[in-house]
Amino acid sequence: MSEALDTSHELSEVLEDLRRHLLWQEEDGGRVLQVDARLAAELRGAGLARLRAQAAQSAAPAAATQVPPAARPMVPRVTPPEPERPLAARAPQQAPVRREAPPPPERLIEAPPQVRPYTGPLPGVVDGERPTLDEIRRELGDCRRCKLCSGRKNIVFGSGNPRAELVFVGEGPGADEDVQGVPFVGAAGQLLTKMIEAMGYRRDDVYICNVVKCRPPNNRNPEPDEVTACEPFLRAQLRAVQPKAIVALGKFAAQTLLRDSTPITRMRGNWREYEGIKLMPTFHPAYLLRQPAEKKKAWEDLQQVMKFFGKQPGQRG
């Protein structure tokens, strides 16, 4: 019995040493019990050999020599440490390649109508047929296609010869035009009438219209959505009249028809083309009223139009 107690005492000391080793590992930051595999095997073998010797020599009943399961010393199972694996060589990271994303479709939609290609249908126009101004006006109806309708008194569609060889296109109606429903009847219109007569025409000989058909509040510039709403009717009007030449009065008329954002000061005086029709950009009469010194340049532009038609200043017919 005394040998059994001695053996249990020795095993307890072994376990205590292992416990202290475990505590040392935890204090040192370890997470796994690091014990030499050979030493662990020797300790385990020595303990088992002593227990077998004790069982063979003991004459006492087995019940007296067996240690209850609750008090039976447990030899910890020690797993030998896995060999360290070399870290895989990491490929040098390449800087990400920045690629320019394609412009979103919203960018095209937000572009001003003057520089965005027009691809929409023309109201009142049937492919292969020449429309009439009356058909286009009926299609326009009591237009509510943009916010300008809320402040207008009259739609200013256009006036003049429906088969004119020369068309004048302006920007939009002013206060007088809004009241009368006729384009270019105010101060700027009176100047335009003089310009037309100086070219050898009467107002009834030519056709006059605007990019937008309703007056912008306080005579401000037409906004992109307003131009977009009205432009199809302007293009349909030109399809109906089919002139030989167009005089674009001011930047909105010139830029909208030509799809060119070049300033009017650089465009004016140079023949351009709109769907096979000669187009001459020049200053708007309202601008000439504010800048009288520019009238000479505008007259030079109109003289080129007269030359195109073989007319002399003051010549009628």
Side-chain angles (χ1 to χ4, degrees):
M1 176 65 84
S2 62
E3 290 184 6
L5 292 175
D6 291 342
T7 302
S8 297
H9 180 70
E10 291 178 1
L11 288 174
S12 297
E13 289 182 350
V14 171
L15 292 174
E16 181 63 21
D17 289 341
L18 289 174
R19 186 182 70 81
R20 286 196 299 269
H21 185 73
L22 175 62
L23 292 175
W24 173 78
Q25 288 288 342
E26 291 181 350
E27 291 176 358
D28 197 41
R31 292 294 180 268
V32 180
L33 180 63
Q34 301 288 337
V35 179
D36 184 80
R38 180 178 178 184
L39 174 60
E42 291 177 356
L43 290 173
R44 185 165 54 248
L48 293 174
R50 287 172 183 167
L51 286 175
R52 292 192 186 98
Q54 173 196 355
Q57 295 175 2
S58 176
T65 59
Q66 285 183 346
V67 179
R72 187 179 301 160
M74 298 293 295
V75 178
R77 182 178 180 180
V78 181
T79 303
E82 295 183 2
E84 293 186 1
R85 298 178 181 178
L87 294 176
R90 296 182 179 179
Q93 293 184 348
Q94 296 181 352
V97 179
R98 299 186 62 182
R99 298 179 180 177
E100 293 292 337
E106 289 78 9
R107 191 175 299 176
L108 181 63
I109 295 174
E110 293 172 356
Q114 293 92 322
V115 297
R116 188 173 68 245
Y118 180 80
T119 58
L122 300 182
V125 176
V126 178
D127 290 342
E129 297 182 11
R130 182 177 183 178
T132 67
L133 292 172
D134 289 340
E135 289 171 341
I136 299 166
R137 180 63 184 88
R138 284 195 298 270
E139 188 77 19
L140 179 61
D142 183 29
C143 186
R144 301 283 167 178
R145 294 172 177 83
C146 78
K147 57 185 177 295
L148 290 181
C149 66
S150 62
R152 71 164 184 245
K153 291 183 175 64
N154 288 292
I155 292 176
V156 183
F157 183 69
S159 66
N161 183 357
R163 291 292 186 265
E165 64 179 9
L166 178 60
V167 171
F168 289 84
V169 179
E171 176 180 312
D176 296 316
E177 290 78 12
D178 184 40
V179 171
Q180 299 183 40
V182 180
F184 284 94
V185 293
Q190 294 172 18
L191 177 57
L192 177 61
T193 300
K194 293 179 180 178
M195 295 164 63
I196 292 172
E197 291 175 348
M199 295 175 67
Y201 292 97
R202 296 184 301 267
R203 275 188 64 119
D204 292 341
D205 296 331
V206 301
Y207 188 78
I208 305 172
C209 58
N210 287 301
V211 173
V212 295
K213 314 305 183 189
C214 298
R215 180 197 179 196
N218 301 316
N219 293 339
R220 64 162 171 75
N221 290 333
E223 295 181 351
D225 62 315
E226 298 160 0
V227 174
T228 299
C230 248
E231 181 184 0
F233 294 94
L234 168 62
R235 291 178 174 271
Q237 286 173 293
L238 296 175
R239 180 75 63 88
V241 177
Q242 295 187 9
K244 295 180 181 178
I246 300 170
V247 175
L249 302 169
K251 74 170 186 177
F252 276 90
Q255 292 179 352
T256 299
L257 293 175
L258 297 175
R259 285 300 185 267
D260 188 342
S261 60
T262 303
I264 189 64
T265 52
R266 299 215 317 260
M267 273 202 293
R268 58 145 294 270
N270 299 298
W271 279 111
R272 303 289 292 274
E273 192 171 285
Y274 165 79
E275 295 189 357
I277 303 171
K278 300 279 286 185
L279 187 147
M280 174 59 68
T282 192
F283 295 123
H284 194 283
Y287 172 78
L288 297 177
L289 291 176
R290 298 191 302 269
Q291 302 290 336
E294 302 285 22
K295 289 182 179 179
K296 179 180 178 181
K297 294 179 181 178
W299 178 237
E300 292 172 354
D301 301 340
L302 296 181
Q303 284 181 312
Q304 293 193 61
V305 178
M306 294 164 59
K307 184 178 180 180
F308 173 75
F309 285 109
K311 298 180 72 68
Q312 299 296 324
Q315 178 182 346
R316 296 283 182 176

